[in-house]
Amino acid sequence: MTGLSAALSLSGMPGMPGMGGPPPPPSFARMWTLAPSPFFLVVIVVLLALYAAGMTRMLRRGDGWPIARAVSFLAGLVLLFAMTCTGLAEYGMYLFSAHMLQHMVLSMAVPLFLLLGAPITLMLRALRPAAAGHTGPRELLLGLLHSRFARVVSSPLFTLPLFVASLYGLYFTTLFDVLMRSAAGHDFMLVHFLAVGLLFFWPIMGVDPAPHRSPYVIRILELFAAMPFHAFFGVAVMMSSSLITRTFAHPPASWGVDPASDQSTGGGLAWAFGEVPTLIVLLVLFIQWSRSDEREARRNDRKADRDGDLELSDYNAYLAGLAAREQHVTAAENPIAPIA
């Protein structure tokens, strides 16, 4: 361990900013110092600019946009920045717990806030339709949403196995150690975590248009289907008697970090994040379900006002017809009426 720490202090670990060796011993303040990643910083700025441009166009056109959605999307970008452009990203190269915090937030929390911001709906409403015979950005987006590719990647038969494989297939094989050898591999993992979370929660949340729009009961079942796998992964990591990856086996000796204890902490984070975000999504689904029922009831009331409740009248006439036929059959079966 001492030899490896000395080597790290001289050469730095692959993927570390500046390649100048490990950062100082971890502390709460150092975890949240600014350490912008050029790649993720560009991604965040582009997403923020596109969302702001969409809102601006809506407002100039005289259309409103819920402020709660904008706040939610901004909160998602802030969380994304905190996970990728602070000292946490540096310590995530050395500590399993720091890395697991990145993984859980990027796959379970950031997608929720971004999706509640309804970015696809904003784009569809802000983009102008192209001229007849032409294809513009709005038409391309609609084509993608209705494509076979979108139907496949948003299907629970695809998203649920991908969600589970992102845990077991990554950490319980050598793939994780291979990807952690370079900054590109590490960034690829972080992008993968975010993409998997977005794909998994996109059809479940039901805010933006999606190729699959299952009933609320099915969405809740999809949500609960992932919980046992997530919980078991966290417990398995916490209870493991050996290190599951070589990457975090030898943190800098000066830090005084026990790799086994740090791994147990990471497993606890994985278990906790499997429960809390799920409960939040479940609450959102129940609220959406309730509002959907209220909207349906209002639509039925308006329809009844327009047509004089024709549907109820037709139903009452149907019942009256059944009663008349039943009386006719009874009279046919008993031709001699009783004498009063």
Side-chain angles (χ1 to χ4, degrees):
M1 181 184 298
T2 304
L4 179 59
S5 299
L8 289 175
S9 65
L10 291 175
S11 60
M13 190 172 183
M16 294 300 297
M19 301 295 288
S27 67
F28 182 83
R30 288 169 181 161
M31 283 281 187
W32 305 112
T33 55
L34 294 180
S37 161
F39 171 75
F40 284 104
L41 188 59
V42 169
V43 170
I44 293 169
V45 170
V46 169
L47 290 177
L48 180 60
L50 290 175
Y51 199 91
M55 285 189 62
T56 301
R57 177 171 291 185
M58 294 276 291
L59 294 175
R60 287 178 177 175
R61 205 166 55 197
D63 297 328
W65 183 252
I67 188 63
R69 289 184 176 181
V71 171
S72 178
F73 193 82
L74 180 60
L77 294 182
V78 170
L79 277 179
L80 178 58
F81 182 89
M83 293 300 107
T84 59
C85 295
T86 64
L88 178 67
E90 295 185 346
Y91 289 104
M93 296 294 294
Y94 296 96
L95 298 175
F96 183 81
S97 59
H99 169 83
M100 189 54 64
L101 180 59
Q102 286 182 286
H103 182 164
M104 292 298 105
V105 173
L106 287 174
S107 64
M108 301 289 289
V110 174
L112 300 185
F113 285 103
L114 294 181
L115 291 172
L116 287 174
I120 297 177
T121 301
L122 177 62
M123 284 189 289
L124 289 175
R125 293 181 60 184
L127 292 172
R128 298 184 180 89
H134 295 78
T135 300
R138 190 175 189 275
E139 288 70 28
L140 292 175
L141 179 58
L142 286 172
L144 178 60
L145 290 174
H146 291 90
S147 67
R148 179 177 298 179
F149 172 78
R151 289 196 297 271
V152 170
V153 299
S154 63
S155 168
L157 298 178
F158 178 84
T159 58
L160 183 57
L162 180 64
F163 193 82
V164 174
S166 295
L167 294 172
Y168 296 90
L170 181 63
Y171 292 102
F172 293 150
T173 67
T174 59
L175 179 60
F176 180 81
D177 290 320
V178 172
L179 291 174
M180 287 293 287
R181 291 174 184 171
S182 68
H186 185 241
D187 287 346
F188 172 81
M189 268 195 297
L190 299 183
V191 172
H192 172 76
F193 298 152
L194 178 60
V196 169
L198 289 170
L199 287 177
F200 180 75
F201 289 112
W202 173 31
I204 293 177
M205 298 295 287
V207 178
D208 276 327
H212 295 275
R213 185 62 73 227
S214 302
Y216 285 99
V217 174
I218 302 300
R219 295 190 221 174
I220 292 173
L221 291 177
E222 291 176 20
L223 184 64
F224 278 111
M227 289 183 64
F229 297 101
H230 213 287
F232 181 78
F233 170 80
V235 173
V237 172
M238 284 192 293
M239 301 299 292
S240 177
S241 58
S242 60
L243 299 179
I244 62 174
T245 71
R246 297 193 308 271
T247 300
F248 304 109
H250 303 287
S254 61
W255 290 7
V257 174
D258 176 27
S261 177
D262 183 66
Q263 178 175 284
S264 179
T265 301
L269 289 170
W271 176 81
F273 269 92
E275 303 293 332
V276 177
T278 299
L279 294 177
I280 294 175
V281 176
L282 188 62
L283 177 62
V284 171
L285 285 177
F286 277 122
I287 293 174
Q288 292 177 345
W289 196 351
S290 175
R291 290 177 177 175
S292 176
D293 289 343
E294 291 175 359
R295 288 194 298 269
E296 183 65 25
R298 287 196 295 268
R299 281 196 295 268
N300 291 335
D301 290 342
R302 289 194 297 269
K303 182 176 182 298
D305 292 338
R306 289 194 303 270
D307 57 21
D309 212 350
L310 182 61
E311 185 176 348
L312 179 60
S313 299
D314 291 342
Y315 181 68
N316 289 334
Y318 170 73
L319 293 179
L322 289 179
R325 283 194 294 271
E326 184 177 351
Q327 292 177 355
H328 178 75
V329 171
T330 301
E333 292 177 349
N334 300 280
I336 301 177
I339 299 176

